[in-house]
Amino acid sequence: MNFYAKEFSELTTTELYEILKSRNDVFLLEQNIVCQDLDDVDYESIHYFFTEGKRVIAYLRAFICDKENNYVKIGRVLTLEHKKGLGSELMKKSIADINERINPSKIIVSAQKQAAGFYEKMGFVPVSGEYLEEGIVHIKMELK
């Protein structure tokens, strides 16, 4: 298993294809979220992922969502294999790299409600009430 942290322009075509395939597998096929996944945010994001062979088995992206205040948002968090610690390891490595690269004043996530406990274990705290995003209940959380 290999870990990568790459800006969009650094991704190979195979890595990009595998990232999009994994996002499709989790968000469309597993969670039945029908939305425009290709939202142009990928161009400005740092892409963090684990691979096994060429397959992307865990992924997230991070981007500056508020340049004036230097806030970073983490999104599109996924693992293909659950309950194996991949998500935690991905978050730890990604947050360390975000802090080193960007040194943000705040890291935020729009967490699916059922995943809020996972983010709390990573040090995030809820900062909003529940809201719907793509038909799924979410909570805004910040890393403390």
Side-chain angles (χ1 to χ4, degrees):
M1 183 170 66
N2 296 306
F3 174 74
Y4 298 94
K6 294 187 174 190
E7 293 184 23
F8 186 83
S9 63
E10 298 173 312
L11 294 170
T12 68
T13 53
T14 299
E15 289 168 337
L16 179 59
Y17 183 86
E18 291 297 324
I19 286 166
L20 296 175
K21 188 166 70 171
S22 293
R23 284 171 27 178
N24 183 73
D25 287 351
V26 171
F27 300 121
L28 181 62
L29 300 177
E30 182 182 311
Q31 297 182 356
N32 200 31
I33 299 172
V34 180
C35 71
Q36 178 62 312
D37 181 42
L38 302 177
D39 59 4
D40 293 333
V41 174
D42 289 318
Y43 291 122
E44 305 302 321
S45 296
I46 303 168
H47 302 268
Y48 297 95
F49 54 101
F50 281 116
T51 61
E52 260 182 14
K54 70 177 183 178
R55 187 72 168 126
V56 171
I57 58 170
Y59 170 85
L60 66 80
R61 71 179 184 186
F63 57 95
I64 297 173
C65 64
D66 180 341
K67 290 182 182 179
E68 185 176 314
N69 294 303
N70 200 31
Y71 294 173
V72 168
K73 183 172 184 179
I74 291 175
R76 302 291 199 267
V77 181
L78 67 87
T79 60
L80 296 184
E81 300 175 13
H82 305 294
K83 307 292 184 197
K84 293 189 174 184
L86 282 175
S88 297
E89 188 66 21
L90 179 66
M91 288 294 288
K92 288 175 190 171
K93 287 180 176 287
S94 300
I95 289 168
D97 186 75
I98 291 165
N99 284 326
E100 183 177 312
R101 251 185 230 237
I102 302 170
N103 191 25
S105 58
K106 190 180 290 187
I107 299 176
I108 61 174
V109 65
S110 181
Q112 291 184 8
K113 183 180 177 183
Q114 87 273 357
F118 165 76
Y119 291 106
E120 286 175 343
K121 289 178 186 172
M122 297 288 101
F124 287 83
V125 295
V127 293
S128 79
E130 297 177 0
Y131 58 93
L132 281 180
E133 189 174 300
E134 303 300 342
I136 295 176
V137 178
H138 282 71
I139 302 167
K140 182 178 176 184
M141 301 181 83
E142 294 178 1
L143 185 62
K144 293 296 178 192

